[in-house]
Amino acid sequence: MSRVFVNIALSLDGYMTPEGMTMENWDNPEYKNWGAKWGALTRWIFNQEHFRENLKLGPGGETGPVNDMLRRTMERTGVNIMGKRMFDAGERSWPEEAPFHTPVFVLTHEKRDPWVRTGGTTFFFVSDGPERALELARDAAGGRDVRISGGADVIQQYLGLGVIDELEISLAPVFFGGGRRLFENLSDAVPSYRIAGVIDGPSATHLRYERAQ
Amino acid sequence: MSRVFVNIALSLDGYMTPEGMTMENWDNPEYKNWGAKWGALTRWIFNQEHFRENLKLGPGGETGPVNDMLRRTMERTGVNIMGKRMFDAGERSWPEEAPFHTPVFVLTHEKRDPWVRTGGTTFFFVSDGPERALELARDAAGGRDVRISGGADVIQQYLGLGVIDELEISLAPVFFGGGRRLFENLSDAVPSYRIAGVIDGPSATHLRYERAQ
């Protein structure tokens, strides 16, 4: 059966996105300094060979355990699930060949026809709640895994449903001081996790947790 | 010159102490399940040889990089600084030979004479603010380092003063869901840190950060 996992970048003070990084300020990265904060959070990823390849940024790039993790994450992922806010931001910033290459289920209250992109990404809009989206995702995953892509509120909902098997967190030494926290509003139904592996990179520490049995 | 450092345990959701772990409920660890949460946070420390030796829990215990870290932390520490809430809790729970073996400066609004314990720990009560406490601590450190012991609000104050050279965080895979967060109310004056080392233990990941120059 497909495993359900999260793989995200997190600031040392626990935020997924900095304050000010919103649709209204998308073209204004100086606003509350969100651009520099986001850059510090994701610095580790831009030179990785797999990331460059996937976003067609040109040949070359670092190889090694971090690159292997990125490649493995992409290869194992049969479906992505994301929230509407993350989709809205991506709709403006992803290239025409969106970087998923899988079906993507978008949690929303809005009805909308599927949106097909080149390169194998199709966005499906689900208005029946996170449990239904996960059912659809498992059916569509073709034996591969289901990635809960974000944002924070969507991850919190799935943590509360007790369905997340693996949490992968790339923890970067940057303070956002505000924004959207990954871990808050957690219900007592969140399962227990154990440490499953650590990759010690120079600008992020890649922490892997698996649900304790 | 003495270096100023923090060495604390942190839950995966960013809390230093769980909700309910207060003086009123000190003898009632079932209250909001604080005892089990605290136990999960600090599980990694109890079997370490140095910890057992320091608290006179008997011979034996694990050796290795985590134990070396504990020993190095104790050996480098010339002075501790802590808040009044942490002192109040410790006053009830430390053995007569308090586990510091250094001068300890307690930030408080209350005037009180120094409190001398066996084994080299003397508590001094400072009501002139965190900067004055750090001056006194540097003078008393005898060339060793100054540890900001906690709690969260005291660490936040010193982060905001820009004086913390090293942050050592033992991150345990437990969710508190509430309590006292380490990283909040951070001012923009908090310095930048870089990753300085990681020890990958089975029940906590020991993260070390140094101030970026």
Side-chain angles (χ1 to χ4, degrees):
Chain A
M1 181 152 136
S2 296
R3 291 178 64 82
V4 180
F5 75 101
V6 166
N7 179 298
I8 50 101
L10 197 67
S11 75
L12 185 51
D13 53 349
Y15 295 96
M16 279 183 66
T17 50
E19 208 180 346
M21 188 179 174
T22 56
M23 294 308 296
E24 309 89 76
N25 300 106
W26 202 251
D27 300 319
N28 183 16
E30 290 77 24
Y31 180 71
K32 298 199 174 196
N33 205 23
W34 77 255
K37 288 176 175 175
W38 183 253
L41 182 73
T42 55
R43 178 172 300 145
W44 59 274
I45 209 174
F46 287 97
N47 276 328
Q48 298 298 319
E49 182 191 60
H50 179 71
F51 183 82
R52 296 181 57 81
E53 192 181 297
N54 188 36
L55 279 184
K56 303 192 190 306
L57 301 179
E62 284 174 39
T63 57
V66 175
N67 192 57
D68 293 347
M69 175 195 76
L70 289 174
R71 187 175 301 278
R72 178 175 170 273
T73 300
M74 181 62 73
E75 287 174 356
R76 71 187 287 201
T77 304
V79 170
N80 286 270
I81 296 178
M82 69 179 61
K84 182 61 164 46
R85 197 181 290 114
M86 182 172 169
F87 171 80
D88 285 343
E91 193 176 14
R92 287 183 61 168
S93 61
W94 294 314
E96 186 166 332
E97 184 175 330
F100 300 99
H101 316 292
T102 71
V104 178
F105 291 90
V106 180
L107 298 174
T108 176
H109 297 294
E110 183 187 308
K111 304 264 179 202
R112 177 168 164 180
D113 289 335
W115 188 46
V116 182
R117 310 304 286 154
T118 58
T121 303
T122 300
F123 295 92
F124 297 93
F125 300 88
V126 184
S127 53
D128 310 328
E131 286 165 293
R132 178 65 184 145
L134 182 57
E135 274 177 23
L136 294 169
R138 288 192 193 275
D139 287 347
R144 291 195 290 165
D145 294 331
V146 177
R147 179 176 182 172
I148 311 297
S149 304
D153 55 337
V154 171
I155 296 172
Q156 288 157 18
Q157 287 178 61
Y158 284 105
L159 278 171
L161 291 172
V163 295
I164 294 180
D165 299 304
E166 299 171 33
L167 274 174
E168 299 182 320
I169 297 170
S170 294
L171 190 68
V174 52
F175 294 112
F176 282 0
R180 297 196 169 266
R181 281 196 193 273
L182 174 57
F183 294 123
E184 63 185 355
N185 312 313
L186 297 184
S187 81
D188 286 342
V190 176
S192 297
Y193 291 86
R194 63 178 183 76
I195 296 171
V198 176
I199 302 171
D200 178 10
S203 47
T205 309
H206 308 278
L207 306 163
R208 219 172 84 78
Y209 302 96
E210 284 185 359
R211 187 146 56 147
Q213 294 310 311
Chain B
M1 182 150 138
S2 297
R3 290 179 64 83
V4 179
F5 76 102
V6 166
N7 179 300
I8 51 101
L10 197 67
S11 75
L12 186 51
D13 53 349
Y15 295 97
M16 280 183 64
T17 50
E19 208 181 348
M21 186 178 175
T22 55
M23 293 308 296
E24 309 87 76
N25 300 106
W26 204 250
D27 301 318
N28 183 16
E30 290 79 22
Y31 179 71
K32 300 199 174 195
N33 205 25
W34 77 255
K37 288 176 174 175
W38 183 252
L41 182 73
T42 55
R43 178 173 301 141
W44 60 275
I45 209 172
F46 287 97
N47 277 328
Q48 299 297 320
E49 182 192 61
H50 179 72
F51 183 83
R52 296 180 57 80
E53 192 182 298
N54 188 34
L55 279 185
K56 301 190 191 310
L57 301 177
E62 284 174 39
T63 56
V66 176
N67 192 58
D68 293 346
M69 175 195 74
L70 290 173
R71 187 174 301 279
R72 177 174 171 274
T73 299
M74 181 60 76
E75 287 173 356
R76 70 185 287 198
T77 304
V79 170
N80 285 270
I81 296 178
M82 69 178 60
K84 182 60 163 43
R85 194 182 292 114
M86 181 172 170
F87 171 79
D88 286 343
E91 191 175 15
R92 286 183 63 169
S93 61
W94 293 315
E96 185 167 333
E97 184 176 328
F100 299 98
H101 316 294
T102 70
V104 178
F105 292 90
V106 180
L107 298 174
T108 175
H109 297 293
E110 184 186 304
K111 304 263 179 201
R112 177 168 162 181
D113 289 336
W115 189 44
V116 182
R117 310 304 288 153
T118 58
T121 303
T122 299
F123 295 92
F124 297 92
F125 300 88
V126 182
S127 54
D128 309 329
E131 286 166 293
R132 178 65 184 146
L134 182 56
E135 274 177 21
L136 293 169
R138 287 193 194 273
D139 287 347
R144 291 196 291 165
D145 293 332
V146 176
R147 180 177 183 172
I148 311 297
S149 304
D153 54 338
V154 171
I155 295 172
Q156 286 157 18
Q157 287 178 60
Y158 283 105
L159 278 171
L161 291 172
V163 296
I164 294 180
D165 299 304
E166 298 171 33
L167 275 174
E168 298 182 321
I169 298 171
S170 294
L171 190 68
V174 52
F175 294 113
F176 282 1
R180 296 196 170 266
R181 282 196 194 272
L182 174 57
F183 293 123
E184 64 186 353
N185 313 313
L186 297 185
S187 81
D188 285 341
V190 176
S192 297
Y193 291 85
R194 62 179 184 77
I195 296 171
V198 176
I199 302 170
D200 178 12
S203 48
T205 309
H206 307 279
L207 306 163
R208 219 170 85 76
Y209 302 96
E210 285 185 359
R211 185 145 55 148
Q213 292 313 310

